[in-house]
Amino acid sequence: SYYYEDEIYNICPGSYEILRYWKVRNYCEPVVRGSNPREHIQLIRVFDPSAPTVACSDTVTISLDPFGCTATYEVPAPVASDSCSSTSYTVASRTGILTQDDDGQYTLSNLEVGEHKVTYRVSDECGKKTLCETVLIVTDQIAPVVICDDDLNVTLDNRGYARVDATDVNEGSGDNCALGVLEVRRSVSQECIDAGYYSVDELVVFD
């Protein structure tokens, strides 16, 4: 005949140990302490060996902020799951300024043009971790704002010549980051050439 009792020791959600105390007796023999019944402690361990599964984007491309030369990125939560417990995550980056609000939302700001690595660390309630990395590419996708003088008057010198530079036509063109090159482009008809008149048609701005 036999008998057992269990003691359950919780480790973490979905993982625990059972100490099973067995007693086995030969009912044809008299009771003898230590030999009939015989006693044995069996250890049974139920444990989740797997780390969480995580999915995140390989690459993400964003533009600079409208009024600055750096970018801001609201870091989305990764897609994570675990077979036995709930998961939580943290975010890390060696570039930019990383903040987290009261709702747990991570924001990465002050990102310059180029590539930045965002690392997710996902943990289950048993302390097992999985990493996932996203390459964040920051580009300047905002065109410059062009402001030009549409009624420019130029005085000729004593030889009948005048020079118009791009800076003469520009009236405060700007860019969210920095202006690069200013150019003026003109179209000249045969009639204008014969009469000596030239028209400045466009101001071209590059960042």
Side-chain angles (χ1 to χ4, degrees):
S1 61
Y2 66 89
Y3 171 79
Y4 69 86
E5 289 183 347
D6 288 341
E7 290 182 356
I8 300 177
Y9 296 86
N10 293 312
I11 300 174
C12 57
S15 299
Y16 54 92
E17 287 184 338
I18 300 174
L19 291 184
R20 180 161 290 176
Y21 295 86
W22 287 95
K23 291 183 179 181
V24 180
R25 195 181 88 78
N26 185 345
Y27 67 90
C28 296
E29 300 292 333
V31 175
V32 178
R33 183 181 295 274
S35 60
N36 193 26
R38 293 185 178 274
E39 298 182 6
H40 180 74
I41 302 176
Q42 179 187 20
L43 174 61
I44 302 171
R45 177 172 291 171
V46 179
F47 190 69
D48 175 20
S50 302
T53 58
V54 185
C56 61
S57 300
D58 292 331
T59 58
V60 175
T61 301
I62 63 172
S63 178
L64 295 176
D65 295 336
F67 302 105
C69 204
T70 59
T72 301
Y73 179 59
E74 290 190 358
V75 184
V79 179
S81 63
D82 188 77
S83 55
C84 292
S85 66
S86 60
T87 60
S88 59
Y89 75 95
T90 59
V91 173
S93 177
R94 294 185 177 180
T95 55
I97 299 175
L98 183 65
T99 57
Q100 185 182 24
D101 62 23
D102 295 337
D103 295 329
Q105 171 68 53
Y106 285 92
T107 300
L108 194 56
S109 59
N110 202 35
L111 295 168
E112 298 180 351
V113 171
E115 293 189 358
H116 307 268
K117 185 180 293 184
V118 178
T119 302
Y120 295 92
R121 182 186 297 270
V122 180
S123 306
D124 64 14
E125 293 184 82
C126 290
K128 296 182 293 297
K129 298 177 175 63
T130 302
L131 299 181
C132 190
E133 292 183 343
T134 295
V135 176
L136 183 62
I137 303 173
V138 178
T139 61
D140 185 0
Q141 303 173 18
I142 303 173
V145 176
V146 180
I147 304 173
C148 62
D149 188 343
D150 59 358
D151 187 21
L152 180 65
N153 296 310
V154 179
T155 302
L156 301 178
D157 63 17
N158 56 5
R159 296 177 300 169
Y161 293 98
R163 178 172 179 169
V164 177
D165 294 323
T167 52
D168 298 323
V169 181
N170 180 41
E171 280 199 345
S173 301
D175 185 70
N176 63 304
C177 193
L179 286 178
V181 178
L182 293 174
E183 295 180 350
V184 287
R185 180 164 58 192
R186 70 181 184 180
S187 63
V188 182
S189 66
Q190 185 63 40
E191 292 79 7
C192 287
I193 294 177
D194 294 338
Y197 294 102
Y198 296 88
S199 174
V200 178
D201 285 350
E202 292 180 334
L203 172 65
V204 185
V205 180
F206 300 89
D207 62 5

